[in-house]
Amino acid sequence: MKINLVPFQQEYEELQVKLSDLSSLTPAEQGRLFKRQGEVKEIMELAEKRDRLERDITEHQETSKGADKELAELANDELPGLVQQRTELDNKLQGLTVPKDSADLGDAIVEIRAGAGGDEAALFAGDLFRMYARFAETRGWRTEVLSSSESDGDGFKEIVFQVSGAEVFGELKWESGVHRVQRVPTTEAKGRVHTSTATVAVLPVVEESEMDIRPEDLRIDVFRSGGHGGQSVNTTDSAVRITHLPTGIVATCQDEKSQTKNKLKAMGVLRARLLDFERNKQQQERGDARRSQIGTGDRSEKIRTYNFPQDRITDHRINESWHNIAGILNGNLGPVVEALRAAAIAKYHES
């Protein structure tokens, strides 16, 4: 894999110029530029190392065909290790040279809604929420429920939560789409397998300073909570519904006893939905999906099936399967996320 270093050398020089006058930069800008400088430097160093390795491989290949049998045998013995090192460097460089979406580095809001299947779909939505919450724990991330509508048992008709930590959106964005489960419900007396669905949407978190929303574009309604929050929640007008009038996008929160806290949470969800709306609109106007897009990117796309009778999870976008459903639903989602990331990187470099 030959990397054109010229763009990275130019970027590195530009970063050096910007960082030469720290007084003109905010602490946040300094941190971002220093981080990018380190990334670009790593790319250039790895590319140079890869070039040296390529030369070593060529020399070993020539030596292996030479008249000196002892040297030829030694070169042949060392060749597989050099080729393996080159493959590892290529894989690393492929990942580092994919253009980064700035949203990938930040937090995410995850929305899970029960789809077809009634109570079983709601239970599956609950399973997915717990899977992401436990996966977040393994990554050292923090999870906060923003709003929820519970069903009977341990399920949810809908649950919206924020996951905070390093590169959360970049790891969870692959989860958007329709998830399908095939299993025998606990209430099924005849042991028949039922199919249910839940829809997952993963949105990047937007800080208030990053999006200008005019107050006159909002309609804010307060109402009495209908959730399971206890007497205080159910008997005061603490629930908040915010409507963005130009787009019709709505965000609701009723989980907190405080109307102010519910309003803040609802605004956070609204900003995320508005950014997602704009990103999708821009993508459609360009007429093409991102080069690293896995699947169609449409939230109506069935992306994954959880087949309990066969103890198998299949991601249909990359046609890859994993066993041990219980372990994955218990938070061991890492292998799935890594496979999707690798597929996206490969697709970018193929296109």
Side-chain angles (χ1 to χ4, degrees):
M1 176 185 176
K2 186 68 175 176
I3 297 292
N4 180 11
L5 285 179
V6 173
F8 296 104
Q9 289 168 340
Q10 292 174 343
E11 184 181 2
Y12 190 79
E13 291 169 3
E14 291 169 0
L15 288 166
Q16 284 183 310
V17 171
K18 291 178 181 178
L19 290 168
S20 65
D21 183 14
L22 295 179
S23 61
S24 64
L25 301 171
T26 66
E29 288 172 333
Q30 291 178 30
R32 179 177 57 81
L33 291 176
F34 274 122
K35 185 175 187 297
R36 180 56 184 165
Q37 185 185 49
E39 292 170 348
V40 174
K41 185 177 181 181
E42 183 182 11
I43 290 170
M44 293 193 301
E45 289 175 348
L46 288 175
E48 290 170 359
K49 183 178 179 181
R50 201 251 183 223
D51 287 343
R52 291 195 300 270
L53 196 56
E54 189 68 50
R55 289 194 293 269
D56 286 345
I57 290 173
T58 300
E59 289 175 5
H60 276 67
Q61 288 172 335
E62 292 173 353
T63 303
S64 69
K65 299 172 185 176
D68 190 324
K69 291 184 178 180
E70 187 175 344
L71 283 176
E73 185 177 348
L74 183 62
N76 269 321
D77 289 342
E78 292 178 349
L79 260 176
L82 294 174
V83 172
Q84 177 62 30
Q85 289 179 47
R86 183 179 62 185
T87 300
E88 291 171 358
L89 278 176
D90 282 345
N91 291 338
K92 192 164 187 178
L93 279 167
Q94 280 189 338
L96 290 173
T97 53
V98 172
K100 289 189 176 180
D101 184 338
S102 60
D104 286 356
L105 304 177
D107 303 339
I109 288 176
V110 184
E111 304 178 344
I112 304 175
R113 294 180 177 83
D119 290 342
E120 176 63 16
L123 290 172
F124 181 46
D127 290 338
L128 292 177
F129 165 65
R130 286 181 284 276
M131 176 180 73
Y132 295 130
R134 289 162 184 161
F135 176 62
E137 288 178 12
T138 69
R139 288 293 201 261
W141 300 336
R142 184 171 61 88
T143 301
E144 178 188 12
V145 174
L146 302 178
S147 67
S148 63
S149 175
E150 299 177 12
S151 66
D152 295 333
D154 295 325
F156 294 96
K157 297 174 184 175
E158 175 183 294
I159 182 165
V160 180
F161 57 99
Q162 180 167 331
V163 185
S164 304
E167 301 184 13
V168 175
F169 181 71
E171 292 214 29
L172 290 183
K173 63 183 180 181
W174 316 112
E175 297 301 302
S176 288
V178 177
H179 296 237
R180 181 175 64 174
V181 64
Q182 295 173 323
R183 63 183 173 188
V184 179
T186 55
T187 55
E188 172 56 59
K190 296 182 179 180
R192 291 176 297 186
V193 174
H194 288 222
T195 298
S196 306
T197 63
T199 300
V200 176
V202 182
L203 316 176
V205 168
V206 188
E207 299 299 330
E208 186 174 356
S209 59
E210 297 175 329
M211 179 174 287
D212 183 24
I213 302 177
R214 300 187 306 171
E216 57 267 31
D217 286 340
L218 300 178
R219 185 180 72 238
I220 301 176
D221 301 307
V222 295
F223 57 97
R224 190 161 298 176
S225 171
H228 300 277
Q231 186 176 0
S232 174
V233 174
N234 293 323
T235 58
T236 61
D237 290 338
S238 59
V240 176
R241 181 190 302 111
I242 304 177
T243 304
H244 184 250
L245 298 175
T247 61
I249 293 173
V250 178
T252 302
C253 185
Q254 60 180 6
D255 281 26
E256 298 287 347
K257 295 180 181 180
S258 163
Q259 184 184 117
T260 300
K261 289 182 178 178
N262 280 330
K263 181 179 177 182
L264 289 172
K265 286 187 175 183
M267 278 301 299
V269 173
L270 182 67
R271 284 195 297 271
R273 290 177 179 170
L274 285 171
L275 176 62
D276 185 62
F277 174 80
E278 288 300 323
R279 285 162 65 99
N280 288 334
K281 182 179 177 183
Q282 290 170 8
Q283 183 172 298
Q284 290 171 3
E285 288 173 352
R286 288 198 307 267
D288 62 339
R290 288 177 297 178
R291 288 168 62 186
S292 56
Q293 180 76 56
I294 296 295
T296 65
D298 192 327
R299 296 228 175 89
S300 63
E301 178 188 15
K302 291 183 176 64
I303 64 166
R304 194 175 299 155
T305 296
Y306 302 70
N307 188 314
F308 274 75
Q310 298 179 14
D311 190 29
R312 184 185 69 233
I313 290 179
T314 300
D315 195 289
H316 305 294
R317 296 165 294 183
I318 58 175
N319 195 28
E320 189 166 343
S321 297
W322 299 264
H323 291 283
N324 187 19
I325 287 182
I328 292 174
L329 288 178
N330 198 39
N332 186 25
L333 193 61
V336 181
V337 170
E338 290 305 317
L340 289 164
R341 186 204 300 273
I345 291 170
K347 183 174 181 182
Y348 173 83
H349 286 287
E350 286 171 1
S351 58

